[in-house]
Amino acid sequence: MAYFDCNLQLGFLYKFMANELLILKKLAARSILKKTLTMGICRNMGTQPRVQRRLGGNRATLFVYAMEGLENMAFVANAVSLVTYFFGYMNFSLTKSATTLTNFMGTAFLLALVGGLISDTYLSRFKTCVLFACMELLGYGILTVQARFHQLRPIPCKDLATTQMSQCEAATGGHAAILYTGLYLVALGTGGIKAALPALGADQFDEKDPKEATQLSSFFNWFLFSLTIGAIIGVTFIVWIGVNLGWDWSFIVCTLTILFAIVFICMGNSLYRNNVPKGSPLVRIIQVFVAAFRNRKLLIPDNTDELHEIHEKQGGDYYEIIKSTDQFRFLDRAAIARSSTGARTTSGPWRLCTVTQVEETKILVRMLPIILSTIFMNTCLAQLQTFTIQQSTTMDTNLGGFKVPGPSVPVIPLLFMFVLIPLYDRVFVPLARRITGIPTGIRHLQRIGIGLVLSAVSMAVAGFVETRRKSVAIQHNMVDSTEPLPISVFWLGFQYAIFGAADMFTLIGLLEFFYAESSAGMKSLGTAISWSSVAFGYFTSTVVVEVVNKVSGGWLASNNLNRDNLNYFYWLLSVLSVVNFGFYLVCASWYRYKTVENEQGDSKDNVDMAKV
């Protein structure tokens, strides 16, 4: 009887639990249905559920702007003033000071390729920014220690005539090792940041959504604006500290600036849309060339639909399918499936690639002439950060009783950019957008071309200003004098202002162009490629200075600008810039913009909505 009662009680218990489980399943099903319907309705209305809407957008980019402004504050302050540090504290000659700076700057921008590869292959863009910022922090720390302790530097050659500077002992051995270690840690750090940070900010907008596409275009303009604000503070406040309080204090401020930049970028971590690395883009590109070579004997089909493509989302690494183009048709052989019976066969990635992968490779090949045609503009930019800074040290820097440090003169183009960027984004772009229907107002390549023209004009103006400066030195019999010439340093403002406008058009035009045209799997690398134009411009500057010195018989061989022929050098750069612009027009007219044929899933498939 007891056994029967126990079984009866268990039966009632099992029945009760079964009813409860059925109710819970119904509630769960209703919840899932409601969530699914909500997401579907929101997606059809062009919006996202509340949880997803929190990620990305303008709010997330505020932290990107903060990091870029702070990092560029330190970097630009040194870019415009390190030539005086090398000349006055490391006892380098004028030419070596200029080439050391341009080599440092060129390496910094070239190392952006390393940051881009790491970001696309291994780490998210956020983690890449933090990693390389820590490297830059260490570099500034080493430079601070060297500037603080005179035992780590050569004895400075002060109060010597310009003609006796060759007798000074330049930094060698351990002194040079400390200097270059700190410098190139800074170069590595800033290179990685410049590759990953613009792409991180651009990732916060969906370029397939019309509203966010407009916001994406504005992002690059305001990214330049934050860069400009940081540069203004750097060339005024930090440069003033270096001139009046010492280089050790200047480097200390730079170190603290990078520390705050790391703090700010980490504060926005919960808001970012973070990319998922899709593997090395270089490996995918090499695979295309290898597969095309292996299939070199196969005939390319006239119908591109016969080429291999993966249309299922789970089958590929891309969220987009890029339409085949008629350029570089020999690479299409990489997407021809080998077949002995007429049926398609599957092969490894080194024998068979998708059309999208082939087009990704074509995009990179098409980008190379654009990069080559913009290098020379950055060669001109290097002169404004080296020889023009040296010009400023020979001129009257008084402004209303306040002595303006020579390296602070680049604040002039920055102030022009500070005014022009909001006008460009809020006035010119909306007006041009109404006419052209393009979200960016004008196409990226048109914007770059305007900048190239302005850079040529800037170099021509620089030649006339230098002629005026030398004539003042001759008129007042001050050719060999170390005293400031009776000519205001603000004469240099003409060439700086014009080049500032050129930089506004070309720099952001390149960044936006390479980000937009790059495939989903190589956005950071595309951004890094745009910076490599700046890198090769600085390296080219070193070569141009050396070649011009030898061919001209010493236009820039002396440590005395009053006896050099810097004006001839500027005019030569202007003529070469015009020739370079003609080459750019050919490259730009030949370029074919990317066309996305289809998307795999919605636009969120290329980002990881989870926190890193």
Side-chain angles (χ1 to χ4, degrees):
M1 190 69 175
Y3 178 78
F4 176 79
D5 290 340
C6 180
N7 285 339
L8 185 62
Q9 292 175 6
L10 286 173
F12 281 119
L13 180 61
Y14 289 151
K15 186 175 182 180
F16 174 78
M17 292 179 65
N19 290 334
E20 291 297 314
L21 287 173
L22 182 61
I23 293 173
L24 289 175
K25 287 181 179 179
K26 290 181 178 179
L27 291 175
R30 289 178 182 176
S31 177
I32 294 173
L33 179 60
K34 181 178 179 181
K35 183 177 180 180
T36 304
L37 289 174
T38 301
M39 293 181 66
I41 293 172
C42 289
R43 189 175 290 119
N44 290 334
M45 293 178 64
T47 61
Q48 295 179 352
R50 185 183 300 270
V51 175
Q52 293 184 2
R53 195 168 56 226
R54 288 180 60 250
L55 299 177
N58 289 318
R59 185 171 59 168
T61 59
L62 293 177
F63 300 96
V64 174
Y65 298 146
M67 183 178 198
E68 177 57 28
L70 290 169
E71 193 276 332
N72 203 55
M73 184 190 307
F75 183 71
V76 171
N78 289 286
V80 299
S81 59
L82 272 178
V83 67
T84 60
Y85 179 70
F86 298 148
F87 185 71
Y89 287 80
M90 293 296 160
N91 301 334
F92 291 165
S93 67
L94 179 60
T95 301
K96 186 176 180 180
S97 298
T99 55
T100 301
L101 177 60
T102 53
N103 288 339
F104 161 70
M105 297 288 290
T107 302
F109 289 107
L110 187 63
L111 287 174
L113 295 173
V114 176
L117 285 174
I118 290 177
S119 179
D120 285 333
T121 308
Y122 302 108
L123 301 177
S124 67
R125 309 199 212 287
F126 165 72
K127 289 182 178 178
T128 303
C129 289
V130 174
L131 174 64
F132 281 89
C134 291
M135 296 179 187
E136 188 173 2
L137 182 70
L138 178 60
Y140 279 120
I142 294 174
L143 293 176
T144 300
V145 172
Q146 184 177 40
R148 185 70 175 175
F149 299 100
H150 64 85
Q151 297 90 341
L152 303 178
R153 296 182 279 110
I155 300 174
C157 301
K158 295 181 179 180
D159 302 324
L160 291 178
T162 304
T163 56
Q164 297 176 315
M165 283 297 178
S166 60
Q167 302 174 9
C168 299
E169 182 181 352
T172 56
H175 296 162
I178 296 173
L179 173 67
Y180 290 127
T181 300
L183 277 179
Y184 287 99
L185 274 174
V186 171
L188 179 60
T190 193
I193 293 173
K194 290 187 183 303
L197 192 61
L200 173 64
D203 284 347
Q204 308 313 308
F205 305 98
D206 180 9
E207 56 186 331
K208 302 299 183 297
D209 182 275
K211 181 179 179 181
E212 292 197 15
T214 301
Q215 293 174 335
L216 175 61
S217 176
S218 291
F219 161 75
F220 283 101
N221 291 326
W222 292 113
F223 182 84
L224 178 61
F225 189 72
S226 64
L227 181 151
T228 302
I229 292 177
I232 290 174
I233 299 174
V235 300
T236 52
F237 177 66
I238 297 181
V239 168
W240 183 89
I241 289 176
V243 172
N244 294 276
L245 300 182
W247 276 95
D248 53 344
W249 284 104
S250 175
F251 287 134
I252 287 173
V253 173
C254 291
T255 304
L256 293 175
T257 298
I258 300 302
L259 179 61
F260 282 114
I262 297 174
V263 171
F264 273 106
I265 199 66
C266 290
M267 287 173 60
N269 185 25
S270 61
L271 300 175
Y272 299 140
R273 297 174 182 173
N274 290 295
N275 70 299
V276 177
K278 297 176 173 61
S280 174
L282 285 185
V283 172
R284 295 195 299 272
I285 290 168
I286 294 173
Q287 287 174 344
V288 171
F289 282 102
V290 172
F293 178 78
R294 286 180 170 179
N295 297 341
R296 62 188 181 278
K297 295 182 179 180
L298 300 180
L299 294 177
I300 301 175
D302 295 330
N303 187 1
T304 57
D305 292 335
E306 298 179 20
L307 298 175
H308 176 62
E309 183 61 273
I310 298 177
H311 294 276
E312 294 78 16
K313 176 182 174 182
Q314 64 273 18
D317 290 332
Y318 305 93
Y319 79 99
E320 63 183 8
I321 296 177
I322 305 177
K323 187 177 180 180
S324 179
T325 59
D326 58 356
Q327 289 182 323
F328 309 113
R329 288 297 307 275
F330 66 93
L331 292 176
D332 289 340
R333 289 188 172 90
I336 300 176
R338 291 174 175 267
S339 176
S340 58
T341 61
R344 285 180 178 260
T345 60
T346 57
S347 304
W350 296 93
R351 287 187 176 273
L352 180 63
C353 305
T354 63
V355 172
T356 295
Q357 189 176 347
V358 172
E359 288 304 315
E360 181 183 45
T361 305
K362 290 182 180 181
I363 288 171
L364 183 61
V365 175
R366 283 196 295 262
M367 286 177 173
L368 294 180
I370 301 297
I371 282 293
L372 292 175
S373 59
T374 56
I375 286 175
F376 200 78
M377 173 186 171
N378 295 295
T379 300
C380 300
L381 172 63
Q383 314 316 314
L384 299 183
Q385 295 176 342
T386 53
F387 288 113
T388 304
I389 297 299
Q390 290 298 324
Q391 285 176 274
S392 69
T393 61
T394 69
M395 304 171 76
D396 182 12
T397 59
N398 290 313
L399 177 64
F402 177 75
K403 189 174 183 180
V404 179
S408 292
V409 175
V411 75
I412 297 174
L414 295 172
L415 291 175
F416 271 86
M417 293 170 67
F418 181 82
V419 175
L420 289 176
I421 292 171
L423 291 176
Y424 179 87
D425 187 75
R426 297 302 181 186
V427 179
F428 175 78
V429 172
L431 181 61
R433 187 183 297 137
R434 293 178 182 177
I435 300 173
T436 64
I438 303 172
T440 55
I442 57 176
R443 292 196 177 275
H444 311 309
L445 295 179
Q446 293 172 335
R447 182 171 182 174
I448 295 170
I450 294 173
L452 294 180
V453 172
L454 291 175
S455 69
V457 175
S458 174
M459 289 297 99
V461 172
F464 288 110
V465 171
E466 172 61 8
T467 301
R468 169 65 179 167
R469 191 196 65 81
K470 286 184 63 177
S471 67
V472 170
I474 296 173
Q475 291 173 4
H476 292 81
N477 196 24
M478 299 178 67
V479 174
D480 295 316
S481 174
T482 58
E483 296 295 322
L485 300 176
I487 178 174
S488 175
V489 72
F490 291 99
W491 274 85
L492 301 176
F494 292 105
Q495 63 211 55
Y496 271 127
I498 299 173
F499 203 94
D503 209 22
M504 182 194 73
F505 281 96
T506 300
L507 176 60
I508 295 304
L510 279 173
L511 283 175
E512 193 171 1
F513 168 72
F514 280 96
Y515 180 86
E517 287 298 293
S518 297
S519 66
M522 54 179 289
K523 293 291 187 183
S524 293
L525 181 61
T527 305
I529 291 174
S530 67
W531 289 115
S532 68
S533 171
V534 182
F536 287 113
Y538 281 106
F539 288 134
T540 304
S541 172
T542 302
V543 175
V544 168
V545 170
E546 296 294 338
V547 171
V548 168
N549 266 332
K550 291 182 180 179
V551 174
S552 65
W555 278 1
L556 307 171
S558 173
N559 282 331
N560 186 351
L561 286 179
N562 296 332
R563 292 191 176 276
D564 282 338
N565 291 296
L566 184 59
N567 51 340
Y568 295 164
F569 180 62
Y570 281 141
W571 284 329
L572 175 63
L573 292 181
S574 179
V575 172
L576 293 177
S577 295
V578 173
V579 176
N580 177 73
F581 177 68
F583 174 63
Y584 172 79
L585 288 179
V586 175
C587 296
S589 61
W590 170 80
Y591 187 83
R592 296 292 181 270
Y593 283 92
K594 176 183 73 173
T595 301
V596 177
E597 180 179 348
N598 188 22
E599 293 184 15
Q600 296 183 3
D602 57 34
S603 60
K604 298 186 293 302
D605 290 336
N606 71 316
V607 295
D608 179 14
M609 293 301 179
K611 299 177 185 177
V612 176

